[in-house]
Amino acid sequence: MERVNIALLGAGTVGSAFARLVAQQRERLAGLGIEVELGKVLVRDPSKVRQGIPPEKLTDQTEGLLEEADVLVEVMGGTSLAKKLVLDALEQGIPVITANKALLAEAWGELRPYADDGLLYYEASVMAATPVVSALSGVLWGSHLLELHAILNGTTNYILNRLEGGATYALALAEAQAKGYAEADPTLDVEGLDAAHKLTVLARLCADPDYPWEEVRAHTRGITHLTPTDLENARQQGQTIRLVGSLYPENGRWKAVVRPVRLPLEHPLARAGSARNGLVLRGDACGELVFIGAGAGGAATASAVLGDLYQLLMGVPGHAPISAKAPVPDYPAERLEEV
């Protein structure tokens, strides 16, 4: 039986859920001839009890964290300490599994060589348990992209659903925070930056391996200006308002934007209710594909992280960007009405 030691960065909602899933699936993992061992777990406060993680594994020290690690799992978030430790691991040839879309979007120049080498796994970074990263970095390369539209942030989807029900923005946000959808500082979600990070990741998988984060950031607007009246006016016209990230051809180049739009109720993305995510992709050979599912939450995200671990243990390389910029089609992409 081969033993694989995992160093874990972060033991919050996702990290703790991942540790529990590994314990629950120990027998299934053993079926691969592998005994998975949870090694050191980096946290801010080692004295705090983490369900499913033995206290002696918790540490707030980065020194020696990777000494016995065969795999690094990063679910702590952020672009400072996480970046340093992820790069430390990759430089040592240690594969990394991450759910950190901000790191992938903003530090891609340093990370891409390792992604090209198959050392970087990041299914959980976009739409959590809904497997769009694997699809866009694999089977869908058999079709040229025409356009992509996606709801990529469950927090804003929840808030907009509540505005449709007549709640004020402040009340809807407070509810989202109480349910654990939104952070105490909700800026990344409500200003559209979280969705922009994720759209940047998707763009590099199917359109341009070096699509710049700054380009997406410059074309991002959030939902803070919306009111229940806006949602009611849309409803009266048979529409709903959602924060949508889009990637489409314009003037001979790929354009990526994030903004609130009106969607006809029959639009595929209009079916992504509450905190769920959705993605519509149109390709020249594959036609229209629709993905709808859980895009957030500890268990859902952790399941995708564990799925990446299975891929790694079975010898499947990590998610690589498209090998070269995709041809920009002469195609009349769907124009969604911005709000």
Side-chain angles (χ1 to χ4, degrees), residues 252-301:
R253 61 189 298 273
W254 290 106
K255 183 171 183 178
V257 298
V258 175
R259 71 290 189 223
V261 300
R262 288 182 175 228
L263 294 174
L265 294 180
E266 64 272 14
H267 194 282
L269 290 181
R271 300 202 300 268
S274 191
R276 290 160 68 83
N277 283 184
L279 182 147
V280 175
L281 179 142
R282 299 184 179 106
D284 63 347
C286 66
E288 180 178 283
L289 300 175
V290 180
F291 300 80
I292 293 179
T301 306

Side-chain angles (χ1 to χ4, degrees), residues 142-146 282-287:
S143 184
H144 284 137
L145 176 69
L146 298 176
R282 299 184 179 106
D284 63 347
C286 66

Side-chain angles (χ1 to χ4, degrees), residues 158-236:
Y158 176 84
I159 291 173
L160 292 172
N161 268 283
R162 291 295 292 121
L163 290 180
E164 280 186 326
T168 64
Y169 174 83
L171 175 60
L173 174 58
E175 290 178 357
Q177 290 170 324
K179 291 178 179 290
Y181 296 146
E183 301 289 341
D185 179 358
T187 302
L188 285 175
D189 292 323
V190 299
E191 296 294 348
L193 298 175
D194 176 77
H197 283 140
K198 295 170 182 175
L199 183 63
T200 305
V201 173
L202 296 180
R204 293 166 180 161
L205 294 174
C206 60
D208 181 347
D210 295 308
Y211 201 97
W213 154 245
E214 295 79 9
E215 181 77 11
V216 186
R217 176 68 183 89
H219 294 92
T220 293
R221 290 193 303 117
I223 66 166
T224 55
H225 63 287
L226 297 176
T227 67
T229 301
D230 295 321
L231 277 292
E232 174 60 21
N233 290 340
R235 189 191 66 79
Q236 291 180 1

